[in-house]
């Protein structure tokens, strides 16, 4: 009898003193994501064109804008690149125009044969207007001391 009484008492005390825990499966799972509307392509282009068209932009901000564009998984539209080239000429940084053209060519990746001629076709009026030579005109399309590709010898 004493054993039964002690067992019931200990079980009751254990349940009473045990902190109430909520089971994880009973808690509703809610993911808090941004509720903002997705930006359209035209709005994206307009935002970067406005960024590069600012009158008070400096070299660091141009580099920052291009770094942000290059970090994205896309090739910037020629309108954005033209705006960045105009900003470079406003601050009189010709070497930055060359670097921008080089990085855009690199961003084309394995689709370079498709994208690069189109980009250059769209940028040709801007390049002529600003007096900027293309990478091919400067001879930067291939390194000066490049060796022939051993896989393309035969």
């Amino acid at each position: 009898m004493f054993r039964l009484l002690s067992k019931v008492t200990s079980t009751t005390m254990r349940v009473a003193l045990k902190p109430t825990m909520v089971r994880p499966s009973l808690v509703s799972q809610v993911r808090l994501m941004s509720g903002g509307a997705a930006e359209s392509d035209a709005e994206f282009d307009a935002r970067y064109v406005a960024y590069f068209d600012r009158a008070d932009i400096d070299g660091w901000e141009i580099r920052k804008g291009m770094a942000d564009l290059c970090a994205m998984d896309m090739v910037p539209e020629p309108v954005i690149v033209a705006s960045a080239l105009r900003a470079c000429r406003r601050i009189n940084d010709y070497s930055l125009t060359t670097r921008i053209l080089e990085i855009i060519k690199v961003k084309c990746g394995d689709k370079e044969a498709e994208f690069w001629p189109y980009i250059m076709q769209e940028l040709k009026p801007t390049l002529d207007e600003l007096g900027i030579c293309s990478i091919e005109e400067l001879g930067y399309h291939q390194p000066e001391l490049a060796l022939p590709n051993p896989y393309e010898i035969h």
Side-chain angles (χ1 to χ4, degrees), residues 6-56:
S6 68
K7 190 173 187 180
V8 170
T9 307
S10 67
T11 306
T12 306
M13 292 297 287
R14 199 174 323 133
V15 170
L17 295 176
K18 188 175 187 180
T20 58
M21 295 175 52
V22 178
R23 290 182 151 174
S25 61
L26 299 177
V27 177
S28 65
Q29 299 290 323
V30 178
R31 295 186 76 179
L32 301 175
M33 302 222 177
S34 67
E39 186 177 38
S40 71
D41 291 341
E43 292 169 340
F44 178 83
D45 293 350
R47 180 167 54 102
Y48 272 96
V49 167
Y51 177 81
F52 288 121
D53 283 347
R54 293 188 352 239
D56 63 339

Side-chain angles (χ1 to χ4, degrees), residues 62-127:
I62 295 172
R63 287 176 177 84
K64 171 77 168 95
M66 287 307 298
D68 290 346
L69 282 171
C70 290
M72 298 177 194
D73 187 24
M74 60 159 215
V75 178
E77 287 289 326
V79 176
I80 298 173
V81 178
S83 180
L85 294 174
R86 284 189 189 95
C88 291
R89 290 305 281 175
R90 270 197 315 274
I91 64 167
N92 201 23
D93 193 348
Y94 188 85
S95 63
L96 188 54
T97 62
T98 305
R99 300 302 168 247
I100 288 174
L101 290 174
E102 285 177 335
I103 196 63
I104 297 302
K105 187 172 183 178
V106 168
K107 282 292 289 182
C108 292
D110 59 348
K111 302 281 187 178
E112 184 179 325
E114 292 177 49
F115 294 163
W116 185 245
Y118 167 73
I119 291 172
M120 288 308 294
Q121 170 191 336
E122 296 295 313
L123 289 178
K124 189 66 175 158
T126 305
L127 295 175

Side-chain angles (χ1 to χ4, degrees), residues 85 120 123-134 137:
L85 294 174
M120 288 308 294
L123 289 178
K124 189 66 175 158
T126 305
L127 295 175
D128 292 341
E129 169 194 340
L130 300 174
I132 299 171
C133 296
S134 69
E137 292 170 345

